[in-house]
Structures are given as C-alpha cells and as structure tokens.
C-alpha cells in the first residue's frame, strides 16, 4: 500500500479552476486512478481534438485557449454549436451515452486540454457519486444554454442578439484602446451567424446596422466597440467570475 508520501498529487490541484473541477471530489483513495488516466496536451490553432463520429475516449477539460464545437452536415456545410472556454468540459455527452461524438472539437486559438481516459473516468464515477453529480450539473447547464438560445431567438431581435454576443466576446478577447475596446474575432462572421441563429447572408446587414448605430466598427475580423460604461455589466455574475479567472490566467 502506498503511504501518504507516495500518494501522487491531484493532477488538477494547481489549476485555477480546481474548486469547480469535475475531478475535485476525488479523494486520496482515487488520486492514483485519476493520475494514471490523466494526460495534458497542447493543441495548435486549427488542430482537431476529436472528430464528429469518432468513438469517445475520455472526458476533456479545456484549461487554456478556445475550442469550437461544430456539427458537420451531410451537404458538406457545418454549424458552430458553441464555444468552450477554460474550465469547461467537452465530449461528456458521448462519454455518458457510450457512443460517438456528435460534434467536432477544434481549437480556434492555441489551447491546452486535460484528458481523463475513459477507463479511469468510469472507475472514478462508479466509486464517487459526487463526480457524477458535477457531471450532471454541467449537462443540465448545457441544456439550459440551448433553451436560452431558443427563447432569445423567439423574443429578441437579430440585431440585439448580435450586439449581446459581440459584447460577450469583447469581454473575453478585447483590449482597451482609449474610449473603445478592440478585439480580433476568434471565429468567422459565418460562425457568428450560427451562434445567434440567423442565415449567413443576414450577417452583413446586421453588421451594417450596428455600425450605423455608432457603437461598433468592423474591418474584417477586427472589431472596435465604443465603451458605454462598464463592459462587465453586460455579463452575468457567473460570466464575470469566468472572465476574472481568464484574465488571471493570462497575467
């Protein structure tokens, strides 16, 4: 039996997101199992973490960068479903269903992903109900995000949804430049259209309307936003905490 000095450290122990980590509840008895199945991988921008239709090989946590979850359609087109920022788990639906990934996961910018191999993850879940509870909370949160998008599409104008999305992205990717915030969009305008649920040809008209309002300026992927006060006020409490952790990680 390993004594306390031989017990490996918790692989997530030094992560900024440790308190909310899926694997935080793993006690000393399970750390060896977690460490055995744990790996950390740097992913270049454009590199694929897992492909749509591939078998699930574990549970993936984004610890740095930005991952796009995209659905590829039979006609060759694709739809950006959502973005995964540091602290988020991806690939857990196929893990829970023992099936194939329903989306592709690809890095939009240099990223780092921590993986717990399927066998180790299943063993830990069997022995620690608190992990399954945290996984279920994340699954429900994803359902809630999808529900919120449906409600927003029915009750909010396309222009307002785009403005809110750009403000949300600016809070994460923007830098202050005088009375404006500036960012390089991490995705294409077509991806923006997917995220707010409009046809891609509609995006140019929406961007033009935002420019006419005088709050936003666009040049390719460069976006400038006149700061109308506290940008963070546009975020929920949970989003503000997420942004705070992201800023801390970048320092």
């Amino acid at each position: 039996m390993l004594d306390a000095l031989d017990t490996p450290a918790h692989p997530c122990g030094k992560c900024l997101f440790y308190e909310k980590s899926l694997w935080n509840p793993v006690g000393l008895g399970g750390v060896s199992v977690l460490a055995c199945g744990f790996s950390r991988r740097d992913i270049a921008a454009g590199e694929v973490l897992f492909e749509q239709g591939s078998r699930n090989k574990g549970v993936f946590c984004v610890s740095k960068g930005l991952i796009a979850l995209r659905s590829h359609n039979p006609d060759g087109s694709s739809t950006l479903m959502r973005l995964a920022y540091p602290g988020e788990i991806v690939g857990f639906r196929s893990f829970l269903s023992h099936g194939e990934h329903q989306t592709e996961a690809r890095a939009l910018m240099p990223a780092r992903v921590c993986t717990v191999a399927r066998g180790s993850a299943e063993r830990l879940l069997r022995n620690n109900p608190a992990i399954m509870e945290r996984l279920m909370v994340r699954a429900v949160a994803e359902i809630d995000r999808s529900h919120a998008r449906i409600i927003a599409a029915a009750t909010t104008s396309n222009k307002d949804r785009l403005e809110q999305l750009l403000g949300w992205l600016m809070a994460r990717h923007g830098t202050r430049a005088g009375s404006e915030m500036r960012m390089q969009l991490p995705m294409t305008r077509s991806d923006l259209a997917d995220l707010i649920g409009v046809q891609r040809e509609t995006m140019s008209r929406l961007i033009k309307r935002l420019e006419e309002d005088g709050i936003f300026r666009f040049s390719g992927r460069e976006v400038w936003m006149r700061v109308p006060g506290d940008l963070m006020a546009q975020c929920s409490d949970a989003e503000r905490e997420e942004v705070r952790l992201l800023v801390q990680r970048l320092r």
Side-chain angles (χ1 to χ4, degrees):
M1 178 180 296
L2 293 173
D3 60 31
L5 294 177
D6 295 324
T7 302
H10 195 299
C12 309
K14 295 183 179 180
C15 179
L16 287 172
F17 305 98
Y18 175 63
E19 291 301 320
K20 295 183 179 180
S21 166
L22 181 65
W23 309 110
N24 174 281
V26 174
L28 291 178
V31 168
S32 294
V33 175
L34 177 62
C36 182
F38 183 91
S39 62
R40 184 176 289 114
R41 172 186 169 192
D42 288 325
I43 302 177
E47 187 177 349
V48 172
L49 173 62
F50 55 76
E51 296 182 347
Q52 181 175 325
S54 62
R55 298 292 297 180
N56 176 278
K57 295 182 179 180
V59 179
F60 308 89
C61 179
V62 182
S63 62
K64 179 183 177 182
L66 180 61
I67 301 292
L69 299 175
R70 189 181 302 275
S71 176
H72 290 275
N73 308 313
D75 63 0
S77 64
S78 66
T79 303
L80 179 61
M81 305 302 294
R82 77 176 183 92
L83 302 172
Y85 282 89
E88 295 194 58
I89 299 291
V90 296
F92 62 83
R93 287 189 301 164
S94 54
F95 172 78
L96 290 172
S97 66
H98 300 274
E100 299 175 343
H101 291 292
Q102 299 302 303
T103 59
E104 168 199 86
R106 185 185 297 266
L108 287 181
M109 56 180 60
R112 181 174 297 133
V113 175
C114 299
T115 304
V116 177
R118 183 173 193 93
S120 296
E122 289 177 336
R123 182 177 172 185
L124 290 166
L125 259 68
R126 285 195 298 269
N127 297 326
N128 198 326
I131 299 175
M132 178 59 77
E133 180 180 345
R134 289 191 173 211
L135 195 55
M136 291 298 99
V137 167
R138 291 175 183 265
V140 170
E142 185 160 324
I143 294 172
D144 288 344
R145 279 196 297 264
S146 298
H147 183 259
R149 288 177 66 178
I150 293 171
I151 296 299
T155 61
T156 310
S157 72
N158 295 337
K159 176 173 167 288
D160 286 345
R161 291 204 308 282
L162 177 57
E163 184 173 353
Q164 291 167 8
L165 174 59
L166 289 171
W168 186 84
L169 291 169
M170 191 69 77
R172 287 155 176 76
H173 302 282
T175 57
R176 190 70 179 253
S179 62
E180 293 183 312
M181 293 287 291
R182 173 191 170 277
M183 70 171 168
Q184 175 90 4
L185 275 174
M187 77 282 289
T188 65
R189 293 187 181 189
S190 293
D191 288 338
L192 288 178
D194 290 340
L195 290 176
I196 66 170
V198 299
Q199 295 296 318
R200 298 179 183 186
E201 55 269 21
T202 304
M203 184 55 58
S204 294
R205 295 195 295 271
L206 294 176
I207 287 175
K208 183 177 180 180
R209 290 176 61 191
L210 288 180
E211 288 184 316
E212 290 172 348
D213 287 347
I215 296 178
F216 290 93
R217 295 187 292 115
F218 298 82
S219 177
R221 287 199 182 188
E222 295 287 326
V223 182
W224 291 264
M225 186 183 84
R226 179 167 52 81
V227 181
D230 184 4
L231 178 61
M232 295 293 283
Q234 300 184 38
C235 301
S236 66
D237 290 342
E239 289 172 338
R240 279 194 288 273
E241 175 63 13
E242 179 185 349
V243 173
R244 186 190 66 78
L245 288 173
L246 289 173
V247 171
Q248 183 178 348
R249 175 174 289 277
L250 290 173
R251 287 174 177 170

